[in-house]
Amino acid sequence: MILRNIDEIKEYISQLSFVKSIYFLEQRDLIVYGKVEIAFEELDGSLDFEVQISPVYPLKNYDSESIKFLNKNLIAYDHVMGDGSICIHTAHSVILKDKIEIDFNSLKDWIVKYYINKDSDSKYEHIIVPENKVNDAYQSYLFTDLDHEFKKGDFGEVDISFLSFGTYKEKPLSTCIVQSFKTPNGEFKNCCWSDFYRNIETGPKGLYVFTESVPAKYNRFAFNNWSDFKELLDQRFLSFLRNFEKLNLSNHKGKNVPLFVGYKTVDSEIHWQAAVLEIGNFPLRGVPERINGRKTGRWTGELIDRKLSWALTRNSSYKYFFGRGTLSEKITNKKILILGIGAVGSMVSTTLVRGGCKFIDLADHDVKEPENVCRSEYVFNSGLNDKVRDLGKILCSISPFVEISTFEKDYFETLIKVLYMEKGAKEDFAAILNRYEIIIDCTTDNDLMYILSTLDLDAELINMSITNHARELICAFYPNIYQFVNNQFSNILKNDVDDLYEPTGCWSPTFKASYNDINVLVQMALKHINILYQREKPKNNFVVKTDDESLLSIKIEEY
């Protein structure tokens, strides 16, 4: 057993001016337990706190501090957990004396801010929900926004689709997505997923009720008993629950049903928390209605005293999904076409999707081969596959908000190259391409580049081409594309066309470069393009260059 130097810890704590007394400090197994009295000038009287110090102290324990200060009498105040522990996040130090001083001062700061001044944070914090297993497994539900305004007392059914099996805290986990909310009058309010997810087959129904108020004690600790809901659920909803159970009892007895409890957070945002019901064991009982002490012959529903189980729910709205960072809205809201989805094109595609883009069409005539995987965004286990189909599935697996379509397979090869000289053909081609707002050409096809440069386009056309060994990446904007790109390759850049990769068989040679080499340049180029859109700067052609010797120095040259 690891023994801590209790005397040393006690000495450092006693040196703090606001620690009035140390009642005790002792080690039990691996944990150091203690109790201290805190007092200082601003504090009216004093406060006692239990102290628990884990064996990893002064280091963190996963993402949490390895010291706890507990006082269950303070549970009504902000940033106090269900066990009475004060929620603190403090500065790093590996020196015991310094860490004790940092952590105890953090406790003092909490006392001043939340106990004495009774501050409340404008930033919303989700209620604390116990993570309950049902039949030794977890259930999770993902929800998103929908175009509907709920009112207090609204209730109905929920359509749900199964998404995946997984593990959570070493236990089985099933994940489903919420598809739509059905009102009692039969109206469906559909969630704002992409078509790919909306088309997943729905399974057993769930239920919902919008309480508006937070189903929690002290606005923070989720109810743990069905009787806690007595003030939030009216007779109309309880009758709805009873009727639902009766209708499903014969065929689905023992099955679990999620009940989504909706409430408002900040800025009228809605959060849904799912509780688990069991058909045949709903927490209800009938109570005979009485008026003036006499039975009327009618019955009302009443929630019984029974512990409830909460499922895991996560807000997967666009705002939360991309809250940690998106590209400029001047890109994400545009309808985008990507021509050529090999190494460069597939990286551009996945980056745009991870950046929050909502409308992307893909065009490529080629098939994904096993050797494509090593330096692109494809995966091996889908085997041989049309690139547009393969990448489309990958992009949909990344974001539930992107609409992916594919262009007719041979349009940019056979059709446009055969017919572009025909009368009216260029106008027709331009009309089709002008349905898009941004077109990114990653084909490295000089013939196609030439034809596109002769069209009268309203769409913003960007050409991205890479040199051998990924030394440079050229980005050109319409209309000055064809001449610029050719001039860079022919007269300015030292593109090595001798040392190309030539596989066995009759294949066209291709440039050599690793995934890492290519992606570094692609990401730098996309970052620069994003800045141009975001700041509405002139879109000048540019080249992303690496240093000829080290290849580690990267710079952008604008023209």
Side-chain angles (χ1 to χ4, degrees):
M1 185 173 73
I2 301 172
L3 293 175
R4 302 301 299 261
N5 190 330
I6 301 296
D7 291 337
E8 184 182 16
I9 295 174
K10 185 180 293 186
E11 177 187 353
Y12 295 149
I13 295 174
S14 64
Q15 290 174 6
L16 301 169
S17 61
F18 52 88
V19 178
K20 186 175 180 180
S21 61
I22 302 173
Y23 296 114
F24 71 90
L25 200 68
E26 61 189 32
Q27 180 161 353
R28 304 174 203 158
D29 295 327
L30 296 177
I31 308 295
V32 172
Y33 292 89
K35 188 173 182 179
V36 297
E37 181 183 9
I38 304 295
F40 50 91
E41 187 177 349
E42 299 98 318
L43 183 59
D44 185 14
S46 61
L47 289 173
D48 292 344
F49 289 91
E50 296 175 27
V51 181
Q52 295 176 10
I53 303 175
S54 88
V56 303
Y57 194 79
L59 308 179
K60 276 191 173 185
N61 189 9
Y62 296 100
D63 292 328
S64 301
E65 300 300 333
S66 53
I67 186 170
K68 281 187 175 183
F69 303 101
L70 303 96
N71 184 329
K72 289 191 175 181
N73 295 324
L74 302 177
I75 203 167
Y77 293 88
D78 279 1
H79 298 286
V80 182
M81 306 301 286
D83 62 354
S85 59
I86 310 302
C87 184
I88 60 171
H89 299 282
T90 62
H92 161 79
S93 178
V94 297
I95 301 171
L96 181 62
K97 181 178 185 300
D98 293 347
K99 186 60 173 166
I100 285 175
E101 184 175 344
I102 290 169
D103 291 341
F104 272 81
N105 271 293
S106 181
L107 172 64
K108 182 183 177 183
D109 292 341
W110 178 91
I111 293 171
V112 171
K113 184 171 184 178
Y114 297 107
Y115 180 78
I116 297 174
N117 296 332
K118 296 179 173 57
D119 280 1
S120 60
D121 297 326
S122 58
K123 177 181 175 295
Y124 174 74
E125 293 192 15
H126 288 294
I127 62 175
I128 299 169
V129 181
E131 297 177 338
N132 303 126
K133 297 188 292 292
V134 177
N135 299 325
D136 206 34
Y138 290 102
Q139 300 174 28
S140 68
Y141 298 91
L142 310 180
F143 66 89
T144 190
D145 293 331
L146 65 160
D147 188 17
H148 178 67
E149 186 162 339
F150 291 92
K151 296 178 181 177
K152 185 176 181 179
D154 285 352
F155 59 84
E157 295 183 352
V158 178
D159 278 334
I160 300 166
S161 294
F162 172 75
L163 190 63
S164 68
F165 284 117
T167 57
Y168 181 78
K169 297 185 176 178
E170 300 181 351
K171 294 291 183 180
L173 167 74
S174 63
T175 297
C176 297
I177 60 172
V178 177
Q179 291 282 20
S180 61
F181 291 78
K182 182 183 176 184
T183 64
N185 62 8
E187 289 183 84
F188 285 90
K189 307 300 178 182
N190 295 322
C191 296
C192 297
W193 304 113
S194 67
D195 287 345
F196 180 88
Y197 289 90
R198 277 198 297 266
N199 291 332
I200 299 175
E201 184 179 358
T202 57
K205 301 286 186 182
L207 306 173
Y208 78 89
V209 60
F210 186 68
T211 61
E212 190 171 75
S213 301
V214 180
K217 295 179 179 179
Y218 304 115
N219 226 37
R220 206 163 62 258
F221 305 106
F223 292 160
N224 57 25
N225 194 297
W226 284 107
S227 61
D228 295 334
F229 277 98
K230 284 183 178 179
E231 301 301 319
L232 295 184
L233 304 180
D234 61 24
Q235 279 301 314
R236 294 183 311 121
F237 176 69
L238 296 183
S239 296
F240 169 75
L241 268 188
R242 184 183 61 182
N243 290 335
F244 180 89
E245 185 175 36
K246 282 184 177 180
L247 288 172
N248 289 276
L249 192 57
S250 59
N251 294 327
H252 302 291
K253 185 176 181 180
K255 300 283 186 179
N256 292 327
V257 178
L259 169 61
F260 294 89
V261 181
Y263 58 93
K264 287 188 177 180
T265 61
V266 292
D267 300 326
S268 295
E269 185 179 284
I270 292 175
H271 189 84
W272 296 97
Q273 193 66 51
V276 181
L277 296 167
E278 181 188 337
I279 295 175
N281 198 26
F282 277 17
L284 291 170
R285 67 181 174 193
V287 178
E289 183 183 68
R290 295 175 183 269
I291 296 178
N292 298 324
R294 301 180 63 181
K295 293 183 179 179
T296 65
R298 293 187 296 268
W299 291 73
T300 61
E302 182 178 86
L303 291 165
I304 63 176
D305 181 8
R306 180 185 296 166
K307 185 181 179 189
L308 64 82
S309 293
W310 291 107
L312 283 68
T313 57
R314 296 292 187 268
N315 186 342
S316 299
S317 64
Y318 185 92
K319 171 186 171 183
Y320 277 83
F321 197 90
F322 293 105
R324 299 183 182 191
T326 61
L327 297 169
S328 168
E329 288 184 359
K330 296 180 177 66
I331 294 177
T332 59
N333 291 328
K334 297 285 180 71
K335 188 166 177 58
I336 300 171
L337 171 64
I338 300 176
L339 307 178
I341 49 174
V344 174
S346 65
M347 291 174 188
V348 170
S349 302
T350 55
T351 302
L352 293 180
V353 170
R354 292 188 190 279
C357 289
K358 303 170 187 173
F359 311 100
I360 294 180
D361 284 6
L362 305 173
D364 200 306
H365 69 282
D366 206 0
V367 172
K368 182 213 74 182
E369 302 282 351
E371 60 266 27
N372 295 142
V373 173
C374 74
R375 66 175 194 182
S376 63
E377 298 295 338
Y378 296 99
V379 292
F380 174 75
N381 65 3
S382 59
L384 300 183
N385 207 349
D386 285 343
K387 283 184 176 178
V388 290
R389 290 184 177 275
D390 215 49
L391 187 61
K393 289 182 179 179
I394 291 169
L395 299 180
C396 289
S397 73
I398 293 171
S399 169
F401 303 106
V402 64
E403 299 291 353
I404 301 291
S405 296
T406 59
F407 223 92
E408 199 279 317
K409 181 178 178 181
D410 296 317
Y411 184 85
F412 291 98
E413 279 296 314
T414 305
L415 191 65
I416 200 168
K417 289 181 179 179
V418 169
L419 300 177
Y420 83 98
M421 292 296 291
E422 295 291 323
K423 184 179 179 180
K426 289 184 180 180
E427 289 77 10
D428 292 341
F429 295 149
I432 291 172
L433 294 180
N434 282 334
R435 297 172 187 170
Y436 300 93
E437 294 163 281
I438 299 175
I439 301 170
I440 305 176
D441 178 13
C442 305
T443 61
T444 65
D445 184 334
N446 289 339
D447 299 328
L448 179 60
M449 180 171 58
Y450 167 74
I451 295 172
L452 294 177
S453 69
T454 65
L455 303 181
D456 185 11
L457 295 177
D458 297 323
E460 295 176 312
L461 174 63
I462 306 169
N463 183 284
M464 299 180 73
S465 307
I466 199 163
T467 62
N468 197 18
H469 301 291
R471 292 185 182 275
E472 299 93 4
L473 188 142
I474 305 160
C475 288
F477 295 89
Y478 178 87
N480 185 21
I481 290 179
Y482 182 69
Q483 293 81 3
F484 178 80
V485 173
N486 279 329
N487 186 51
Q488 287 290 323
F489 275 99
S490 301
N491 302 318
I492 298 177
L493 303 178
K494 297 177 182 178
N495 186 33
D496 180 5
V497 294
D498 295 323
D499 185 24
L500 294 173
Y501 176 67
E502 299 192 51
T504 302
C506 188
W507 298 92
S508 299
T510 185
F511 70 97
K512 290 182 177 180
S514 70
Y515 177 92
N516 176 257
D517 294 332
I518 303 165
N519 212 2
V520 166
L521 299 189
V522 169
Q523 299 306 331
M524 181 68 78
L526 289 174
K527 183 176 181 68
H528 185 68
I529 291 170
N530 185 58
I531 291 171
L532 296 181
Y533 275 90
Q534 191 173 44
R535 299 179 185 176
E536 297 182 343
K537 297 179 70 174
K539 297 179 181 67
N540 298 321
N541 295 343
F542 66 91
V543 177
V544 183
K545 291 187 173 183
T546 58
D547 184 271
D548 284 340
E549 293 184 7
S550 68
L551 300 180
L552 294 177
S553 175
I554 301 174
K555 62 180 179 179
I556 291 177
E557 286 187 3
E558 279 196 282
Y559 291 81

